[in-house]
Amino acid sequence: MSDPVLALQAAFYTALSAALSCTVYDAGSVEVDAIYPYLVFDVVEAQPADGLNTLNDVVRVYMTVWSKIGDRSQVQEVIQQVYATLHQQRLTLTAGRNVRCQVIRRSTAPDIAGELFSGSITVRALIDR
Amino acid sequence: MPVTGGRAVAAALRRYPEIVRQEVEEALQRAAQLVLEEMRRLTPIDPSSTTHARDALTVAFQESGLTAKVGLTTAALTSDFFWFRFLDLGTKGGEVRYRVRGTREVRTMQTPARPALHIRERAMDLNRDDVERLIRAALADALRRGRR
């Protein structure tokens, strides 16, 4: 795996799968009969860190937690686990180097049908190519 | 030694709040437009449909001019383009119930499990630097204008 962005996502997957009490899926791979709660990697977006430096990328990873518990408690618990696992951490990558990860956004919201709760987490990571 | 110019300084300081408000208001309008364009770019369309949530995204400013709401800015638009929420926040898949606006009728529809596109959050994240630059420049311009 020579792409640091892919390596970062793989490192996130490994770290979160080990730390969370729920299943971690990539976008599009959620099983029909997935057991709640679960976490999905929705979008991974990489940009050059600035206009001059092509050696660093800022990667933002957008994730969602889905829960069938009718209040925020379970979603917040998973979000807290993600925060504890990734915030201000430096993950080991198979390509490139992770300078720092920061959880920059955490939110929870009820589903439109009122049956589910979902939570959104955004992690910003700086990587050296 | 007498100190002069106190009235001119006081007059300049009185002008600052209005000048700052004008400059920041203009900057905020440009910033909101940047975020709106990004949201439109990130919102997919259904080629088989004639109405697209992308076309309904707008900017609405509060009366003060210093607060902008970007996206589906009214309850009617939110209701008409309810599927924008599914695009933005994702879906678990399966049966979804919704109420038709203005009635008590509840309908159901089958939706596939879709990952959230995080349209609003990404539009902000991708433009945060530009928005901050616009507002910083507006404040600097206001200070320059106030000194004249």
Side-chain angles (χ1 to χ4, degrees):
Chain A
M1 191 178 290
S2 59
D3 182 356
V5 178
L6 283 176
L8 180 78
Q9 192 181 343
F12 272 29
Y13 183 85
T14 306
L16 292 175
S17 295
L20 301 191
S21 52
C22 65
T23 312
V24 179
Y25 293 102
D26 197 2
S29 68
V30 180
E31 295 154 4
V32 176
D33 54 353
I35 296 168
Y36 292 84
Y38 61 82
L39 179 137
V40 191
F41 288 105
D42 294 316
V43 179
V44 179
E45 207 160 48
Q47 280 182 300
D50 61 62
L52 300 173
N53 187 348
T54 54
L55 295 176
N56 298 124
D57 277 346
V58 173
V59 183
R60 279 182 290 270
V61 181
Y62 297 84
M63 297 174 267
T64 302
V65 180
W66 292 94
S67 165
K68 267 197 168 169
I69 301 287
D71 61 37
R72 289 171 214 275
S73 58
Q74 192 174 50
V75 171
Q76 278 178 334
E77 189 184 322
V78 177
I79 287 175
Q80 189 52 41
Q81 289 171 352
V82 174
Y83 187 86
T85 307
L86 297 179
H87 189 61
Q88 301 293 16
Q89 298 298 314
R90 190 175 295 176
L91 303 179
T92 304
L93 308 185
T94 55
R97 188 174 70 92
N98 178 210
V99 179
R100 185 73 73 200
C101 293
Q102 285 178 309
V103 175
I104 58 170
R105 182 181 292 114
R106 291 171 284 172
S107 64
T108 57
D111 182 56
I112 195 164
E115 295 168 357
L116 300 168
F117 251 84
S118 66
S120 170
I121 312 151
T122 308
V123 184
R124 181 184 182 277
L126 185 64
I127 53 174
D128 267 343
R129 286 200 160 266
Chain B
M1 189 177 77
V3 177
T4 60
R7 284 186 183 173
V9 170
L13 288 175
R14 272 197 301 274
R15 285 199 305 271
Y16 267 120
E18 182 55 25
I19 293 170
V20 168
R21 200 192 62 75
Q22 285 172 5
E23 294 283 348
V24 172
E25 194 177 322
E26 284 176 26
L28 204 62
Q29 285 172 5
R30 290 201 296 274
Q33 204 59 37
L34 285 178
V35 175
L36 174 65
E37 290 305 319
E38 197 73 55
M39 282 182 71
R40 284 183 175 152
R41 189 182 69 78
L42 294 171
T43 304
I45 59 168
D46 177 1
S48 65
S49 172
T50 54
T51 54
H52 306 300
R54 174 191 288 182
D55 301 332
L57 299 173
T58 51
V59 179
F61 287 91
Q62 282 191 357
E63 207 170 312
S64 70
L66 297 176
T67 303
K69 186 178 178 189
V70 187
L72 299 172
T73 53
T74 65
L77 282 174
T78 306
S79 175
D80 288 347
F81 297 91
F82 63 91
W83 64 87
F84 178 79
R85 185 186 171 102
F86 303 150
L87 297 172
D88 190 32
L89 300 177
T91 63
K92 69 176 175 67
E95 191 176 270
V96 171
R97 284 180 290 139
Y98 64 98
R99 181 175 290 170
V100 179
R101 180 160 54 102
T103 72
R104 291 185 173 276
E105 183 186 357
V106 176
R107 293 182 185 172
T108 60
M109 63 185 289
Q110 292 295 323
T111 60
R114 285 191 172 279
L117 295 178
H118 298 271
I119 295 165
R120 293 169 300 172
E121 296 169 349
R122 286 163 65 204
M124 269 308 296
D125 290 342
L126 288 166
N127 289 284
R128 186 175 300 277
D129 289 348
D130 287 335
V131 169
E132 285 178 2
R133 185 177 49 75
L134 282 168
I135 292 172
R136 267 200 303 272
L139 290 172
D141 286 349
L143 290 175
R144 265 195 298 275
R145 269 179 64 193
R147 281 206 300 264
R148 284 185 209 137

